Amino acid sequence: MIDKINAKCVLAILLTGLYFPSFSQSQWTYDFNNGLTPIENGGPALKVLGQPGKYVKEKIPGSDDLSRTIYQFEKNSGLQFNNTEAKGFLSKSFTVEIYFKMDELDSWKRVLDFKNRKSDYGSYIYDGKLNFYDFAIGEKAPVRANRYVHYVYSRDFETKAIKMYINGQSKLEFKDPGTEGMLDTDQVLNFFQDDLIANHESSAGSIVLIRVYDRVMTPVFVRRSYQTISRAPKAPIAEKEEEESEEKPAPKETAKRNTNLAIVTGRVYDGKNLKPVNDADVTVRKSSTDSLVASTKTVNGIYNFELRPHETYRISAQADGFQPKSVSVKVSNRFEEVKSLISLSESTYDAPLSTLYFTQSTDVLEDDALRGLDSLVSYFQKKENLRIILKGHTDNTGDFAKNLELSNKRVETVKGYLLGKGITADRIAGSGYGSAQPSRMNQSEALKRSNRRVEIWAEPIKR
């Protein structure tokens, strides 16, 4: 009986971290035996994000009668540490330590969010790798679904060095390019709940321990902490279950995916209120040739494309009431998942709504240009307070005067198409500029093609 009591005391010490020297208000430890309050006196309680979780007594692997309290959370739910209530505890150098497991790891899964759901940047686990989107990704780490893992994140305030560990081993180190790895003005650190930008990147799971420190912990300390928490031997039956879980067949959706292609998934949202922009027109063009690759419309702000790897693409989004915007996306590998976010701003009409491209020496509208025009016709039919300004251009091949004439013919071609679609002549104006206003240097055929264009601008009608 005495041996069992001693064993329980030792286990409590190992899980709560009291095995290490205690520092006054330099760490807060949450082991869920006392709900969401820390084991140290006077610390801030964690707050529930999303659906409230459950407190469950779980048997310690390798023991007969020892158990621990875990916090089980639902998908896109989690916990929050309030730095204001903690009197700026995480405002400079800090370390976050978590012992947890996730039910699913089939795609991006959020671990830490420093911007209170306003940004897609932050700490994830992706394909068994530690990732800080969109700046760094580590080597393969021993992270598997339904298996507990010891995860540590630290950021040095002076050097901006960010380090991330799995099971006591450093797996990712990089320099924060700004303050992406720090809390913003909301001063809250969110665990596991995903952001409002692409809020499907989360998993249900279980937490054994959360501990935050107001300093950067050394690699030796991290390794000792992992060894201490995971010291209890695993029962043979647990090992067998884990082996079986590793051999489970891949989800059907993954099995059907074309491994020769990469998936680009993203979200178009209103940069003012972070709400998704539905039914936005999204197009993909190769950056090297400006050729159209694919197009779609957003559903609840979300779009998806399967693209060939080893290419750089330009993804453009256009929606009623917003200024069109393009982002560049580089796809490096096959079977890669790339995230692309497009934040739209309200229309200010200080940039072209669309650009139509032409073949060398012609004024003929190609199929790609016609599709773009058709979407604009619908836009201008709804926006009767706007007039259309057409600006025609050419590359620098040939005589300047002939290029000027060609650019005006291109404008007339576009104008004629718009008139045929019911846009009245008093709402359309424009002129050609020849080769005088290139959008890019005429140094190659691909670059020259980007100059053979008609830009479509909008301008409020003055009453």
Side-chain angles (χ1 to χ4, degrees), residues 359-420:
T359 300
Q360 174 74 46
S361 302
T362 75
D363 60 350
V364 178
L365 282 168
E366 300 178 359
D367 291 342
D368 292 351
L370 290 174
R371 283 192 289 269
L373 265 178
D374 287 339
S375 65
L376 280 177
V377 167
S378 176
Y379 174 80
F380 282 109
Q381 286 173 341
K382 296 175 184 177
K383 301 286 185 178
E384 296 183 354
N385 63 324
L386 298 177
R387 64 197 297 254
I388 303 170
I389 308 298
L390 305 175
K391 299 180 181 181
H393 305 273
T394 69
D395 62 29
N396 66 347
T397 303
D399 181 72
F400 178 82
K402 291 183 178 180
N403 282 334
L404 184 61
E405 180 183 358
L406 177 59
S407 65
N408 278 295
K409 286 183 178 179
R410 288 172 174 169
V411 167
E412 290 302 315
T413 297
V414 177
K415 181 178 179 180
Y417 188 86
L418 293 173
L419 290 172

Side-chain angles (χ1 to χ4, degrees), residues 101 205 248 254 305 314 364 371 377 393 417 421 427:
K101 67 179 179 181
K248 289 191 297 185
T254 302
F305 295 105
R314 188 175 78 253
V364 178
R371 283 192 289 269
V377 167
H393 305 273
Y417 188 86
K421 290 293 184 177
R427 293 182 62 197

Side-chain angles (χ1 to χ4, degrees), residues 13 26 34 48 95 98 232 237 318 357 420 434 437:
I13 291 173
S26 60
N34 216 12
V48 172
T95 300
I98 326 172
I237 188 171
Q318 177 180 300
Y357 297 95
Q437 297 182 7

Side-chain angles (χ1 to χ4, degrees), residues 17 128 206 209 327:
S206 303
L209 177 75
V327 297

Side-chain angles (χ1 to χ4, degrees), residues 109-110 120 122-125 130-131 133 194-195 201 339:
K109 300 303 177 189
R110 170 78 80 173
D120 206 37
S123 170
Y124 295 83
I125 291 175
L130 301 188
N131 173 247
Y133 183 77
D194 194 30
D195 54 80
E201 297 163 343
K339 299 197 318 182

